[in-house]
Amino acid sequence: VIRTENLCKSFRMGRLTLEVLKNVTFQVKKGEYVALMGPSGSGKSTLMNILGCLDSPTSGHYYLNGRDVSTLREKELARIRNQEIGFVFQTFNLLPRYNALENVALPLVYAGVSQRIRLQRAADTLERVGLADRMKHRPNELSGGQRQRVAIARALINQPALLLADEPTGNLDSVTSEEILHLFGELHKAGNTIVIVTHEEDVAARALRVIRLRDGSIESDGPARV
Amino acid sequence: VIRTENLCKSFRMGRLTLEVLKNVTFQVKKGEYVALMGPSGSGKSTLMNILGCLDSPTSGHYYLNGRDVSTLREKELARIRNQEIGFVFQTFNLLPRYNALENVALPLVYAGVSQRIRLQRAADTLERVGLADRMKHRPNELSGGQRQRVAIARALINQPALLLADEPTGNLDSVTSEEILHLFGELHKAGNTIVIVTHEEDVAARALRVIRLRDGSIESDGPARV
Ligand SMILES: Nc1ncnc2c1ncn2[C@@H]1O[C@H](COP(=O)(O)OP(=O)(O)OP(=O)(O)O)[C@@H](O)[C@H]1O
Ligand SMILES: Nc1ncnc2c1ncn2[C@@H]1O[C@H](COP(=O)(O)OP(=O)(O)OP(=O)(O)O)[C@@H](O)[C@H]1O
Ligand SMILES: [Mg+2]
Ligand SMILES: [Mg+2]
């Protein structure tokens, strides 16, 4: 479902060019569960943004379901981002003036779902991440781990074919993490594909394969150690 | 150095009152290293904000170095926040239009240190958290773990008598976490006091005592398991 070919990404800072991804080449088949690991600053979020069609590479190719993403128009990219991909951001990216329910329901607005059904599905999903009693809270009325779970619920609400989760348990205690990883496991059992960035070996152990980045290149790519 | 007495904190949401901290009473002596743990939403950040003089309780007392914080004027609170306390926020709270160096130097502006010395000390501190080559980057040009380290550097730059760190390693890989915890260990050896919120047992193991919150109350308070 994912195929990258010599993906490079660099940022210009004044006269300097910072190479952040260097010839990243790998594939993820439909239904795989992959952990992406590596030191802070190694390029994981940058790679995830490209996989999520939120950013484009400086050079190289990204094929999503066989299609070269650089050839797709913005309208099609928006449809893909909304209906095929669920993205949990490392910094959550919730809308501050909307409450948890409204934030989680947002992907369904684009999909043209009626308001009554949107709010019902958002409520169900929030319940599944343990936030049944926090639905009317806005982000600044939520704890760090609660905001993270709202971001997770928003990514899951469409039952996406591809879930991209950037450090989704970083602010969660172990019991709550288990609940979230269980939900991811269910999504995976339903045949969907998961790529999860994590710093924790025991979270990575839930995946079947670990890709490790170092300084923007793939250092290793193999089965998760059990 | 810290003494709380029946600390209560509640939030009003429309006609509901949400009790978030309930009769929290404990002491921390000078030079202690305490881990504060508990499930997501249990009140840790809310308690930390009160300890850091950033918020006041709904009822109860907080004595910092023997002085009832509720009796202090804003000018004195600002001086304490700036010169006696270092605070690492769960959400970093960096200034987006300033680069890493400027963000880290900020506490020294208030302390009246000259610009040349401020920037020198900020550079040294950034080097100690492994960000020597990221000093001119602004927050949106940094990875999640790099932003976290800038927030840590800003809290450490004054060598504060009291360090309050809210999940400071949540976005860091294990090698980088070790480096940060080593720095905290050095601050502690120099006689300073540390309270660190963490979800990770091995981070808590570096502290000498663990206070666990559940639903806003202290569930347990005892030595860290080694
Ligand atoms: N807009 C930008 N301009 C310049 N450099 C950038 C920019 N965005 C990211 N970087 C740099 O790119 C590198 C990779 O960033 P990225 O966010 O992908 O790291 P990461 O692996 O997700 O790290 P972490 O584990 O800390 O979240 C970092 O060194 C960062 O400083
Ligand atoms: N401004 C607010 N209005 C209403 N409720 C709030 C507000 N701020 C926090 N809360 C609630 O207070 C509770 C405690 O929040 P707090 O941020 O202290 O939790 P925490 O222990 O730090 O959690 P986490 O581990 O997820 O960071 C949460 O249930 C949260 O929903
Ligand atoms: Mg990242
Ligand atoms: Mg918190």
Side-chain angles (χ1 to χ4, degrees):
Chain A
V1 68
I2 282 174
R3 185 161 68 85
T4 77
E5 209 172 76
N6 291 322
L7 227 46
C8 296
K9 180 71 184 181
S10 46
F11 293 104
R12 301 287 299 280
M13 300 203 58
R15 286 181 300 150
L16 279 178
T17 299
L18 197 63
E19 288 184 24
V20 164
L21 292 176
K22 304 163 190 166
N23 286 314
V24 173
T25 298
F26 67 98
Q27 294 187 51
V28 177
K29 295 196 177 63
K30 182 161 160 53
E32 281 200 70
Y33 192 156
V34 183
L36 179 59
M37 303 185 80
S40 172
S42 54
K44 305 178 297 296
S45 298
T46 303
L47 176 58
M48 292 287 271
N49 287 338
I50 292 171
L51 298 182
C53 301
L54 296 159
D55 192 15
S56 33
T58 308
S59 69
H61 296 279
Y62 170 38
Y63 301 91
L64 178 62
N65 294 319
R67 299 154 80 195
D68 185 335
V69 168
S70 62
T71 65
L72 301 176
R73 294 172 170 215
E74 181 50 33
K75 195 155 178 273
E76 176 62 4
L77 287 172
R79 189 198 65 79
I80 288 172
R81 280 194 297 262
N82 188 273
Q83 299 188 0
E84 295 185 21
I85 298 175
F87 203 112
V88 185
F89 293 89
Q90 187 170 8
T91 48
F92 320 154
N93 295 6
L94 302 178
L95 300 183
R97 288 181 300 165
Y98 294 92
N99 64 31
L101 204 65
E102 293 160 333
N103 264 283
V104 173
L106 205 56
L108 299 179
V109 174
Y110 186 92
V113 177
S114 78
Q115 184 179 41
R116 190 177 64 75
I117 303 227
R118 286 204 305 267
L119 295 179
Q120 184 56 53
R121 284 176 58 183
D124 292 344
T125 316
L126 277 166
E127 194 164 339
R128 298 180 81 211
V129 298
L131 292 177
D133 56 358
R134 289 289 181 273
M135 294 194 193
K136 297 300 177 68
H137 287 232
R138 287 191 303 275
N140 69 344
E141 296 167 331
L142 291 171
S143 77
Q146 291 168 344
R147 287 176 207 164
Q148 188 154 40
R149 284 182 276 161
V150 174
I152 290 165
R154 184 181 60 184
L156 289 177
I157 196 171
N158 260 331
Q159 286 293 291
L162 174 61
L163 176 70
L164 300 172
D166 197 343
E167 304 199 43
T169 63
N171 284 285
L172 302 177
D173 56 281
S174 45
V175 170
T176 315
S177 285
E178 272 307 304
E179 292 165 15
I180 293 306
L181 293 173
H182 178 72
L183 288 180
F184 288 7
E186 287 188 346
L187 183 74
H188 179 234
K189 279 206 196 73
N192 299 299
T193 310
I194 300 186
V195 180
I196 176 169
V197 172
T198 183
H199 282 309
E200 297 174 58
E201 296 289 343
D202 42 0
V203 172
R206 311 292 281 255
L208 302 157
R209 170 183 170 200
V210 179
I211 296 175
R212 287 183 201 269
L213 281 191
R214 183 172 292 278
D215 294 326
S217 304
I218 293 184
E219 177 182 57
S220 70
D221 181 351
R225 266 169 288 173
V226 178
Chain B
V1 65
I2 282 174
R3 183 160 70 83
T4 75
E5 209 171 77
N6 292 322
L7 227 46
C8 295
K9 179 73 186 181
S10 45
F11 293 104
R12 301 288 299 281
M13 300 202 58
R15 286 181 300 148
L16 278 177
T17 298
L18 195 64
E19 289 184 24
V20 165
L21 292 175
K22 304 165 190 165
N23 286 316
V24 173
T25 299
F26 67 98
Q27 296 186 50
V28 177
K29 296 195 178 64
K30 182 162 159 54
E32 282 201 68
Y33 193 155
V34 183
L36 177 60
M37 305 186 78
S40 173
S42 53
K44 306 177 298 293
S45 298
T46 303
L47 176 57
M48 291 288 272
N49 286 339
I50 292 171
L51 298 181
C53 302
L54 296 159
D55 192 14
S56 31
T58 308
S59 68
H61 296 279
Y62 170 38
Y63 301 92
L64 178 61
N65 294 319
R67 299 154 80 193
D68 184 336
V69 170
S70 62
T71 65
L72 301 178
R73 295 172 169 216
E74 182 50 34
K75 195 156 178 271
E76 176 62 4
L77 287 172
R79 188 198 66 80
I80 288 172
R81 281 194 297 262
N82 187 273
Q83 299 189 359
E84 294 185 22
I85 298 175
F87 203 111
V88 186
F89 293 89
Q90 188 171 4
T91 48
F92 320 153
N93 295 5
L94 301 179
L95 299 184
R97 290 182 299 165
Y98 294 93
N99 65 30
L101 204 65
E102 293 161 334
N103 264 282
V104 173
L106 205 56
L108 299 179
V109 174
Y110 186 92
V113 178
S114 78
Q115 185 180 41
R116 190 178 64 76
I117 304 227
R118 287 203 306 267
L119 296 179
Q120 184 57 52
R121 286 176 54 184
D124 292 346
T125 316
L126 277 166
E127 194 165 339
R128 299 180 78 212
V129 299
L131 292 177
D133 56 359
R134 289 290 181 271
M135 294 193 192
K136 297 302 178 66
H137 287 232
R138 287 190 303 276
N140 69 345
E141 295 166 331
L142 292 171
S143 77
Q146 291 168 345
R147 287 176 206 165
Q148 189 154 39
R149 283 182 276 162
V150 174
I152 289 164
R154 183 181 61 184
L156 289 178
I157 195 169
N158 260 332
Q159 286 293 293
L162 174 61
L163 176 70
L164 300 172
D166 197 344
E167 302 197 42
T169 63
N171 284 286
L172 301 177
D173 56 282
S174 45
V175 171
T176 314
S177 284
E178 273 305 305
E179 292 165 15
I180 294 306
L181 293 173
H182 178 73
L183 287 180
F184 288 8
E186 287 188 344
L187 183 74
H188 178 233
K189 280 207 196 73
N192 299 299
T193 310
I194 300 186
V195 180
I196 177 169
V197 172
T198 183
H199 282 307
E200 296 176 58
E201 296 289 345
D202 43 359
V203 173
R206 311 291 282 254
L208 301 159
R209 170 183 169 201
V210 178
I211 296 175
R212 287 184 201 270
L213 282 189
R214 183 173 293 276
D215 294 325
S217 304
I218 293 184
E219 178 183 55
S220 70
D221 181 351
R225 267 168 290 174
V226 179

